[in-house]
Amino acid sequence: MKSLIELVKACQPRSVIRLLEGNSTVAAEDSKIRKLYDLILEEQKTEEEIVQVLYGKGRLPTLGKYKTLKTRLRHILVQCFLMEQPKEPSYLTYDQAYHFGYQQLAAGRMLAGKGAHNAARKVLLLTLQYVKDYEIIHLNHGLTEMLAGLHLGTAYSEDLFQRYLQLAAYYSEAAYDLDLLNNRYRQVRNSIYSQRSSPMDIGIMAAKFVAECAHLPAKYPNISLLQGIFAILEITSFMQQGLYEKAIEASLRGTAALERCKGASHSTLSMLALSRVECTIKLGDYQRGLEQIELARKTISKNSINELKLTEYAIQLGLRTGNYDLAYLELAQLNRPKLKSLILERHIEYWQILEAYVNVLFLAGKITPQEDWPELPKFKMRKFVNNVPAYSKNKKGMNTQVLITHILFLLVQKEYDEVTERIEALANYCKRYLREDENLRNNCFFKLLSIASQSSFFRQLADQKGRKTLERMQNAKEYASNKDAEIVPYEHLWEIILNQLTGPGVHQQN
């Protein structure tokens, strides 16, 4: 009964009814086969109840007439399912081959399961001819394995059996190697997400996996999925170790390998293009970053999650390198409904942090919009500070950026008394959560904020008293592996803060 229910759900009701009413062996509205279909479609009765509706009380699903009726309906549904398949599936791209290939494989399996072996062979053989060169390994394995089995039946052919058996064995081995590589990559991703290991340790682990699987790209030069996963694994190993130039080289190698494959996955090429943009951000190379962004835009699909990620990277590039106009323009042109529809709430909160920084920089006079530039939506800083639940738990991560943007906002607004209160609260925060923080730059920057307050917001005094701390922060060894925590480098923020200070002592003037 379960398989029959699945068939009912797989077919369009209009197509089934049209087929039922056009079947010369089936009466129209009052036929039992039509009633059986309608009862299953309603999903309100058990199989025992359905039998009793059709054949009277006391009847069981083992009734011969009922079993025959189910078989007749199953054949009609199979016929309907095949009729609904595209008459001429398109295999012009990798994604189309993947979609239609698996669809036809499922149809072939269903036909074989119903005893329609000749039809199954035709469907599977034709599909294999179209998709084979795309080297979609698990799909090709399923097709060749089915064809080998079908040539052992009524249409026995030793030559064809041996041919497809050998192909199935090749794809089986390739599937094993592909799954092994994918397993290694997932281990690396899990280590990144769990945050139980340092980036350097994760990079070393990834490099070990790269060495273990280094022979696979040459062994399977035409398997685009394997080429893509290997390239991403290699890129990840370099990026986690802070070797961004090598990561860019690995990305270019991976792209070249993918482009040699037939119909390489568009999404994988997009990921590699994004990785090069991300590396230029980490290198702080603005001009190179712009070039990679433009190249990526030619690869990435419009209105996709990857396009949204590219916009995020463009904003990050502008904020990281001091080119705040780029960050402003990218944020102002953002499709906000699309943003909310594509990403999770936690990621929306990260976008809000980016938005907070852009607004603070605008208020601080670091961004001067041109007349033809779009305006930023109104941003309520206090509401933002009180509505970031995901990051409030991340005491050593993005939550510190929320606190920093709040202090900068108050400082730009000249609300010095509240700035002092927030800095004192930040000092207590550091004692509670960051006492043993391995990120020296965080601690140094927080100390600079305290120095600004202790200097009564007098620029010359704050500048003089903060020089040793600033130098210590600039020489911090862990900067390379903790850049992501600083949306705007702390050196740039300190310069902005100094520019907001006056003399000879704000509170004395008040």
Side-chain angles (χ1 to χ4, degrees):
M1 186 66 173
K2 182 178 179 181
S3 62
L4 190 59
I5 293 173
E6 290 174 350
L7 272 173
V8 168
K9 292 181 178 180
C11 299
Q12 294 292 330
R14 290 183 180 179
S15 301
V16 178
I17 293 171
R18 191 181 304 115
L19 195 59
L20 286 171
E21 293 178 349
N23 192 322
S24 59
T25 64
V26 178
E29 291 295 327
D30 60 345
S31 69
K32 280 188 168 59
I33 198 166
R34 172 64 185 275
K35 286 182 179 179
L36 174 59
Y37 171 75
D38 289 338
L39 289 168
I40 295 174
L41 190 64
E42 289 174 3
E43 298 184 276
Q44 294 180 352
K45 289 181 170 58
T46 64
E47 186 172 18
E48 288 75 12
E49 292 172 334
I50 289 175
V51 176
Q52 293 179 19
V53 169
L54 293 172
Y55 294 101
K57 291 183 179 181
R59 300 293 187 174
L60 298 174
T62 54
L63 181 68
K65 291 182 180 179
Y66 174 66
K67 292 168 71 174
T68 301
L69 190 68
K70 285 199 302 180
T71 300
R72 291 174 61 196
L73 177 59
R74 184 178 290 108
H75 286 316
I76 290 173
L77 291 172
V78 169
Q79 183 182 357
C80 180
F81 177 81
L82 293 174
M83 289 173 60
E84 288 178 347
Q85 305 306 303
K87 297 295 182 182
E88 296 182 1
S90 175
Y91 300 97
L92 297 177
T93 67
Y94 182 97
D95 292 338
Q96 288 176 334
Y98 186 96
H99 173 76
F100 290 116
Y102 272 111
Q103 190 177 68
Q104 297 300 85
L105 175 59
R109 284 173 171 166
M110 185 174 292
L111 285 168
K114 304 309 173 188
H117 297 132
N118 288 330
R121 279 194 298 274
K122 290 179 181 179
V123 169
L124 296 171
L125 179 59
L126 186 62
T127 302
L128 181 63
Q129 291 174 349
Y130 281 118
V131 306
K132 183 177 181 297
D133 291 342
Y134 286 105
E135 295 284 28
I136 306 171
I137 296 307
H138 292 93
L139 172 60
N140 286 4
H141 179 253
L143 291 167
T144 53
E145 188 177 47
M146 282 287 296
L147 284 167
L150 287 169
H151 283 96
L152 280 177
T154 54
Y156 173 70
S157 168
E158 184 175 6
D159 290 342
L160 290 175
F161 165 71
Q162 292 294 344
R163 175 187 175 186
Y164 291 119
L165 185 66
Q166 290 176 7
L167 282 173
Y170 166 77
Y171 290 125
S172 178
E173 182 180 356
Y176 175 83
D177 288 337
L178 177 61
D179 290 344
L180 174 67
L181 176 61
N182 200 28
N183 176 272
R184 297 294 186 261
Y185 173 65
R186 286 173 175 172
Q187 289 183 56
V188 172
R189 297 307 303 174
N190 179 65
S191 296
I192 294 172
Y193 294 147
S194 65
Q195 298 182 341
R196 286 192 290 269
S197 302
S198 69
M200 181 59 70
D201 288 342
I202 295 173
I204 292 172
M205 177 180 68
K208 178 182 176 182
F209 292 155
V210 168
E212 177 187 355
C213 301
H215 65 290
L216 296 180
K219 184 178 179 181
Y220 304 107
N222 299 319
I223 301 179
S224 61
L225 181 57
L226 185 145
Q227 297 288 343
I229 295 175
F230 182 83
I232 294 170
L233 179 62
E234 188 176 23
I235 292 165
T236 304
S237 73
F238 287 133
M239 292 185 69
Q240 290 294 309
Q241 296 178 79
L243 304 174
Y244 303 117
E245 290 289 358
K246 289 188 176 182
I248 292 174
E249 293 172 5
S251 177
L252 292 172
R253 283 197 303 273
T255 299
L258 278 168
E259 289 175 345
R260 288 192 292 269
C261 301
K262 180 178 179 179
S265 171
H266 186 268
S267 60
T268 304
L269 288 169
S270 297
M271 288 178 64
L272 296 185
L274 286 172
S275 72
R276 295 193 290 275
V277 176
E278 185 179 3
C279 286
T280 61
I281 296 171
K282 295 179 183 299
L283 290 168
D285 192 334
Y286 176 68
Q287 192 58 45
R288 198 172 173 190
L290 284 181
E291 293 171 359
Q292 290 299 327
I293 287 171
E294 291 306 311
L295 289 173
R297 285 204 167 109
K298 297 177 182 179
T299 302
I300 291 172
S301 301
K302 295 291 184 183
N303 298 317
S304 66
I305 186 67
N306 285 331
E307 185 184 42
L308 193 61
K309 191 65 178 179
L310 184 60
T311 299
E312 178 188 322
Y313 280 163
I315 296 172
Q316 287 182 8
L317 178 66
L319 294 177
R320 186 69 61 82
T321 61
N323 294 277
Y324 304 130
D325 286 355
L326 173 65
Y328 177 97
L329 285 169
E330 292 288 341
L331 184 62
Q333 295 168 3
L334 177 66
N335 185 335
R336 291 171 186 273
K338 180 64 66 175
L339 171 68
K340 292 182 178 180
S341 68
L342 287 176
I343 64 177
L344 301 175
E345 186 65 29
R346 176 174 181 132
H347 296 115
I348 289 177
E349 290 172 1
Y350 179 73
W351 275 87
Q352 290 174 332
I353 294 176
L354 296 179
E355 188 171 12
Y357 265 109
V358 172
N359 277 274
V360 167
L361 292 167
F362 170 71
L363 292 173
K366 303 299 291 185
I367 301 172
T368 306
Q370 303 297 317
E371 291 184 1
D372 58 340
W373 286 11
E375 294 184 1
L376 287 176
K378 291 183 179 180
F379 185 80
K380 298 180 180 179
M381 178 61 72
R382 298 182 191 279
K383 181 179 179 181
F384 158 71
V385 171
N386 294 325
N387 288 278
V388 280
Y391 289 122
S392 64
K393 299 177 182 179
N394 186 8
K395 302 303 182 183
K396 292 187 179 182
M398 284 295 123
N399 192 47
T400 59
Q401 298 301 306
V402 176
L403 300 174
I404 288 170
T405 55
H406 191 201
I407 290 173
L408 290 174
F409 173 78
L410 295 171
L411 190 60
V412 170
Q413 299 285 65
K414 308 301 182 186
E415 298 181 20
Y416 297 108
D417 289 335
E418 192 166 352
V419 170
T420 300
E421 291 179 5
R422 295 304 306 166
I423 290 176
E424 290 175 354
L426 182 60
N428 294 328
Y429 178 91
C430 293
K431 290 178 182 178
R432 182 175 180 182
Y433 296 112
L434 306 179
R435 184 184 304 173
E436 299 178 356
D437 186 9
E438 69 280 0
N439 190 343
L440 178 61
R441 287 179 60 84
N442 270 349
N443 293 327
C444 288
F445 183 70
F446 295 156
K447 186 173 182 180
L448 287 173
L449 292 174
S450 296
I451 289 173
S453 177
Q454 293 164 7
S455 301
S456 297
F457 303 102
F458 179 39
R459 173 170 181 157
Q460 289 182 329
L461 183 58
D463 188 10
Q464 181 180 354
K465 293 178 66 175
R467 286 176 185 174
K468 288 186 178 180
T469 302
L470 177 62
E471 183 178 356
R472 187 181 178 210
M473 182 178 72
Q474 291 172 328
N475 294 332
K477 294 181 179 180
E478 83 282 354
Y479 182 45
S481 62
N482 284 284
K483 281 185 177 180
D484 290 343
E486 299 178 29
I487 294 176
V488 176
Y490 288 155
E491 290 86 351
H492 295 179
L493 291 182
W494 179 237
E495 181 184 350
I496 292 170
I497 289 170
L498 290 176
N499 290 335
Q500 296 301 313
L501 304 184
T502 56
V506 174
H507 287 303
Q508 294 174 9
Q509 287 183 335
N510 291 342

